Amino acid sequence: MQQLIIEAISIISTKERKKDSSFMDLVVPSVLEKSVVNEILSRLKEINLRLRLVFDDTIQDGFKIIYDDLIVDASIESNANELESFLNKRLENSTKEDFIENLKKAIEEYRVQYSVSEVGTVINVKDGICMINGLKDCMYQEILLINKQYPAIAMNIEKYQIGAVLLDKNADIIIGDIVERTKQVASIGVSEEILGRVVDALGNPIDGKSIIKIDKYMPIEKVAPDVISRKPVDKPLLTGITAIDALIPIGRGQRELILGDRQTGKTSICIDTIINQKDKDIICVYASIGQKQSKIARIVETLKDAGAMEYTIVITSSASDSAAKQFITPYSATAIAEYFLEKGKDVLVVYDDLTKHAIAYRELSLLLRRPPGREAYPGDVFYLHSRLLERSCCLSEENGGGSITSLPIIETQAGDITSYIPTNVISITDGQIFLETDLFYKGIRPAINIGLSVSRVGSAAQTKPMKKVAGKLKVSLAQYRELEVFSQFSGEVDTKTKEILLRGQKTIELLKQKNLSPRSNVFSIVAIFVINKGIVDDVGLEYVNKFVEELFEYIGNEHTNLLEELENNHWDEEIEEALYKVCIDFKRVNHNGISETN
Ligand code: ATP
Ligand code: MG
């Protein structure tokens, strides 16, 4: 004991000292032996410190030394856990006979250990924000423990105090409570077991199943991979939605924003994309931020029913969670994705949605008294999202070759994409898919405004056949849109214009797609091919979808070779001709039952 105290004092002596506070408190259970006290006093004299003995009956054995904001704790209470795991380890292989003997030995061998912790005190707490005195060496975004049980994240580091946000909204904290450093920036424990699970922002399971074993702690904030370790996007990430795969293609490692007003099918596009990754060796992470719990439950059910939970992780913070939890959710989701990225996997992350994330951050910032900027958001809200989305990447082969593709969602107000948060995220991402309420109510679903949607890098990753057929589609759709507006003003239109308008309408009809029914890439290719070649020009508008579905089935049954070629992304004039012939044959033989009027 005496030796232990002397050791602890030497730790204290290395600490930089304030001028007046040269008192060191030694907290002990009962009076110490005089010889021990003398020894300690002489040691303290050497380093010019004064001793204050404090007798504390809550300590049963051992001691505590408190000096400034440092606590050296060698009490039996704080050693209880250590002792337990020490004994468990030592008695692991004991038999019934030698158990008592081993236990005696182990207890004799056990040495009381001391833990050194830096502590501060709570000086103010309100609205989930804690102001803390002390903790001079605290790091930015370090996890602090208040009263040994309530975690908080240090967000404001000022000269005389620290502003920390509480993760638990209902934490029972009063002024004067002790705050300890953990010396760890916020991180999340991950392992392969997390696949198929629903977890909260800190990685704790909330699906009522067993606890998840931890293989590695991933920091929730991490610097994005540098330019040298990346490579350009070159593989497609198929969403199963024809309009997107053809016109706004997404590549693995890309960041594609999905934005639109409330209830325009934003979430549905992402869920369909997740469902479409079945058997494609892609791991999906769905991060839900500030949504209603009932909605999250419904999404988990949908994913389960579609068999998509096997390769998906759902990480959520609901609307009733603290702003701090909502704030860290997308970072935690990315940390999980990075765990799999390190293993060379392709990962898809959906952030649903970043508007609520920005609002949670605004709440925290205002409570921390940071000055409000445009739309009352703090000045660094752009940085907040850019450092998150920069972590999506496509790594070069030397670095494992994995990728993180991200689909952030932003909710707009009355279709206004020029407000602060939408413009920010538009400029960070590699393209956007803009959904419109008008289109949605007209029945054009997914309600994608093709004119305002763009993918800046995805076409490099498009498959060859898709690239060939989609190029023509873009031109004819643009022509259609132009003429559509024009024809609204003039009643009479010539036959050529009428033809373009009709073909345009059929294209729109083919691009309509129910949610939860992703199409295979080949199906989309055939559908667009049929339009481009004018094969459905004489098929009634309402029968176009049925025609293509039956045609696809026919190819699958009768022309498996051709289907195989297309599935393997082969495309040349010969295949094109063969496909054309098959379509014409199908139309001639099987198409009698379908109305052919326009
Ligand atoms: P919120 O703003 O509330 O998050 P959201 O934009 O995410 O809404 P969703 O929840 O995806 O929209 O969809 C809204 C409704 O539209 C849902 O009931 C969904 O079933 C329906 N819906 C979405 N896409 C389609 C589609 N392609 N075909 C038919 N119905 C659809
Ligand atoms: Mg939604």
Side-chain angles (χ1 to χ4, degrees):
M1 169 106 149
Q2 184 177 348
Q3 190 54 37
L4 218 54
I5 295 179
I6 300 286
E7 251 177 68
I9 292 172
S10 55
I11 291 176
I12 300 265
S13 67
T14 58
K15 197 168 161 58
E16 197 186 306
R17 227 167 299 148
K18 278 190 214 155
K19 252 189 190 155
D20 317 325
S21 68
S22 48
F23 268 111
M24 182 193 90
D25 288 352
L26 176 62
V27 189
V28 283
S30 54
V31 187
L32 276 181
E33 271 177 45
K34 209 154 185 192
S35 65
V36 179
V37 179
N38 282 341
E39 170 76 36
I40 295 167
L41 280 175
S42 69
R43 179 83 186 88
L44 291 177
K45 223 177 202 165
E46 277 172 35
I47 53 172
N48 207 8
L49 263 179
R50 277 175 290 168
L51 176 73
R52 197 156 51 191
L53 265 181
V54 182
F55 299 105
D56 184 347
D57 285 337
T58 59
I59 300 180
Q60 285 172 10
D61 201 3
F63 65 91
K64 266 189 201 172
I65 292 178
I66 304 171
Y67 174 73
D68 209 2
D69 56 357
L70 212 64
I71 291 189
V72 182
D73 190 349
S75 63
I76 204 75
E77 287 83 357
S78 66
N79 268 273
N81 286 341
E82 307 251 348
L83 180 63
E84 190 183 339
S85 57
F86 175 81
L87 290 182
N88 275 336
K89 221 180 205 173
R90 292 299 297 267
L91 301 173
E92 221 169 32
N93 302 322
S94 290
T95 55
K96 238 182 197 173
E97 291 76 41
D98 62 4
F99 183 81
I100 298 289
E101 196 60 30
N102 284 347
L103 181 64
K104 269 187 199 163
K105 248 195 230 162
I107 290 177
E108 260 170 37
E109 273 173 36
Y110 182 72
R111 294 277 164 271
V112 175
Q113 294 169 10
Y114 56 79
S115 61
V116 184
S117 50
E118 269 177 62
V119 293
T121 43
V122 174
I123 50 174
N124 191 1
V125 54
K126 67 175 179 206
D127 304 319
I129 303 285
C130 230
M131 288 313 206
I132 298 159
N133 199 352
L135 301 183
K136 206 169 80 227
D137 299 328
C138 176
M139 296 181 284
Y140 177 61
Q141 290 215 335
E142 181 175 337
I143 294 277
L144 305 174
L145 263 187
I146 303 173
N147 269 347
K148 287 195 187 291
Q149 53 178 330
Y150 302 119
I153 303 180
M155 294 282 287
N156 263 18
I157 300 195
E158 294 164 24
K159 195 162 182 188
Y160 299 113
Q161 63 179 18
I162 283 168
V165 292
L166 292 167
L167 289 176
D168 185 355
K169 243 182 168 174
N170 307 315
D172 187 10
I173 292 171
I174 52 170
I175 292 176
D177 277 352
I178 296 285
V179 187
E180 272 174 63
R181 281 188 63 188
T182 61
K183 297 186 184 162
Q184 276 182 354
V185 286
S187 56
I188 179 168
V190 195
S191 72
E192 293 269 348
E193 278 183 25
I194 205 166
L195 273 179
R197 303 296 300 269
V198 184
V199 296
D200 71 3
L202 298 170
N204 305 314
I206 49 170
D207 50 5
K209 292 188 200 153
S210 61
I211 47 169
I212 300 164
K213 249 198 226 145
I214 290 168
D215 170 35
K216 196 169 177 190
Y217 279 94
M218 303 295 295
I220 62 166
E221 283 263 19
K222 199 174 161 197
V223 178
D226 55 15
V227 180
I228 302 301
S229 53
R230 299 182 185 224
K231 70 170 184 194
V233 170
D234 62 356
K235 268 192 253 154
L237 184 122
L238 298 170
T239 61
I241 298 167
T242 309
I244 298 178
D245 289 344
L247 301 168
I248 321 150
I250 301 172
R252 294 188 191 182
Q254 187 178 342
R255 302 156 298 173
E256 184 77 12
L257 168 66
I258 295 173
L259 81 167
D261 282 5
R262 320 188 26 253
Q263 290 287 304
T264 46
K266 302 182 296 295
T267 306
S268 299
I269 286 186
C270 298
I271 297 299
D272 286 357
T273 309
I274 292 179
I275 291 173
N276 197 46
Q277 303 316 314
K278 204 174 168 85
D279 304 324
K280 291 204 175 73
D281 201 21
I282 291 186
I283 288 170
C284 302
V285 183
Y286 176 78
S288 148
I289 307 147
Q291 296 196 59
K292 278 185 282 185
Q293 288 189 342
S294 59
K295 241 186 193 175
I296 301 166
R298 215 174 318 132
I299 287 169
V300 173
E301 258 334 284
T302 310
L303 290 174
K304 255 189 210 155
D305 291 346
M309 264 323 262
E310 287 160 29
Y311 53 87
T312 305
I313 300 130
V314 177
I315 171 160
T316 81
S317 56
S318 70
S320 60
D321 276 327
S322 66
K325 266 194 176 166
Q326 293 184 33
F327 161 64
I328 64 168
T329 305
Y331 293 98
S332 302
T334 317
I336 296 175
E338 278 166 350
Y339 174 77
F340 292 102
L341 174 78
E342 279 181 7
K343 299 187 168 214
K345 299 256 186 208
D346 292 314
V347 192
L348 165 74
V349 193
V350 175
Y351 304 104
D352 194 359
D353 61 64
L354 289 189
T355 312
K356 298 204 182 71
H357 183 236
I359 291 171
Y361 188 60
R362 173 168 68 182
E363 184 183 328
L364 287 182
S365 299
L366 293 177
L367 288 170
L368 283 165
R369 302 201 165 273
R370 294 183 187 171
R374 185 174 159 193
E375 291 177 30
Y377 286 103
D380 64 339
V381 73
F382 182 92
Y383 178 50
L384 179 80
H385 288 150
S386 62
R387 72 172 189 257
L388 172 72
L389 294 172
E390 263 305 306
R391 287 159 75 182
S392 306
C393 59
C394 185
L395 291 181
S396 61
E397 299 308 327
E398 304 87 73
N399 291 293
S403 69
I404 298 182
T405 313
S406 54
L407 296 179
I409 294 180
I410 287 282
E411 186 183 300
T412 51
Q413 305 288 330
D416 181 14
I417 54 174
T418 58
S419 56
Y420 190 33
I421 302 298
T423 41
N424 273 353
V425 187
I426 285 174
S427 66
I428 295 164
T429 47
D430 307 308
Q432 73 274 351
I433 296 172
F434 182 46
L435 303 175
E436 262 190 2
T437 315
D438 278 358
L439 293 175
F440 192 83
Y441 287 117
K442 267 191 213 159
I444 301 176
R445 300 175 189 182
I448 302 171
N449 178 327
I450 291 168
L452 287 180
S453 303
V454 61
S455 167
R456 292 188 198 105
V457 291
S459 62
Q462 233 174 358
T463 61
K464 195 176 167 196
M466 184 55 107
K467 208 184 248 176
K468 288 277 178 221
V469 293
K472 208 165 168 203
L473 184 74
K474 268 182 210 165
V475 179
S476 62
L477 260 181
Q479 260 180 349
Y480 164 67
R481 272 204 309 269
E482 219 169 81
L483 287 175
E484 192 195 19
V485 179
F486 176 69
S487 68
Q488 281 173 348
F489 300 109
S490 61
E492 285 289 308
V493 286
D494 59 82
T495 35
K496 181 76 190 144
T497 313
K498 203 172 162 200
E499 215 172 78
I500 295 175
L501 284 175
L502 267 174
R503 195 178 277 192
Q505 281 169 0
K506 281 174 190 165
T507 313
I508 300 285
E509 197 60 32
L510 255 182
L511 294 183
K512 283 185 192 169
Q513 198 173 335
K514 275 211 134 349
N515 53 336
L516 305 181
S517 49
R519 291 173 180 166
S520 72
N521 198 34
V522 183
F523 183 100
S524 297
I525 293 168
V526 170
I528 300 170
F529 181 81
V530 161
I531 286 278
N532 284 350
K533 292 285 173 189
I535 294 166
V536 282
D537 278 356
D538 53 356
V539 175
L541 190 60
E542 59 270 45
Y543 298 107
V544 171
N545 269 314
K546 194 167 174 233
F547 178 88
V548 176
E549 267 161 38
E550 284 179 6
L551 168 67
F552 190 65
E553 211 180 307
Y554 169 76
I555 298 175
N557 291 336
E558 312 276 329
H559 297 275
T560 39
N561 285 349
L562 181 62
L563 190 71
E564 219 168 88
E565 293 277 3
L566 289 174
E567 270 169 359
N568 292 327
N569 299 328
H570 295 159
W571 188 263
D572 51 26
E573 273 179 21
E574 215 175 287
I575 295 175
E576 200 174 332
E577 256 170 44
L579 182 60
Y580 184 70
K581 196 168 162 300
V582 168
C583 294
I584 296 292
D585 282 352
F586 167 77
K587 196 167 142 185
R588 200 175 48 238
V589 180
N590 298 12
H591 187 41
N592 295 334
I594 297 180
S595 161
E596 296 193 2
T597 50
N598 274 318

